Amino acid sequence: LAAVQSWENNWDNLTAFLSYPKEIRKLIYTTNIIESFNASLRKYTRNKKVFPNDDAALKSIYLAAQSISKKWKKTRSKWGQIYNQLYICFPNRL
């Protein structure tokens, strides 16, 4: 019962993404790329538990991200359509 009430109380927030075009909705709910990237980052930072300061941690993550991005071979299916929809919905952000 609490779960149903939570859904009802937050319905506007939960369904906000339905106002976007299909391409953007699929991009929002498809998290495999993000999960893969986070898993790869964890592999790079797992061995180094302590950083001397915040800048060292940021530099390590940046270098790991650069290394990870070199391995990416796939492109997002229908990226042209997705990009166009993002540009229409968020014109000042791209």
Side-chain angles (χ1 to χ4, degrees):
L1 187 64
V4 173
Q5 187 176 19
S6 176
W7 274 79
E8 288 173 348
N9 291 341
N10 295 296
W11 187 251
D12 290 339
N13 293 329
L14 293 170
T15 59
F17 84 105
L18 294 175
S19 65
Y20 295 115
K22 181 178 79 171
E23 294 84 8
I24 294 178
R25 290 195 314 266
K26 187 170 182 180
L27 184 67
I28 290 170
Y29 67 74
T30 303
T31 60
N32 291 344
I33 295 169
I34 296 167
E35 290 171 2
S36 173
F37 180 73
N38 285 337
S40 297
L41 276 181
R42 280 192 298 277
K43 286 179 187 176
Y44 277 92
T45 58
R46 184 177 302 142
N47 296 334
K48 184 102 170 154
K49 299 286 183 193
V50 178
F51 295 95
N53 56 44
D54 289 347
D55 284 339
L58 288 173
K59 287 178 184 177
S60 178
I61 291 171
Y62 173 80
L63 292 172
Q66 294 302 309
S67 180
I68 293 166
S69 67
K70 290 177 185 174
K71 298 176 185 177
W72 290 342
K73 303 277 188 241
K74 294 182 179 178
T75 58
R76 180 72 187 189
S77 176
K78 300 181 182 178
W79 176 247
Q81 291 175 338
I82 295 169
Y83 185 85
N84 287 336
Q85 293 295 333
L86 288 168
Y87 189 79
I88 291 167
C89 292
F90 308 101
N92 296 326
R93 294 187 184 186
L94 296 180

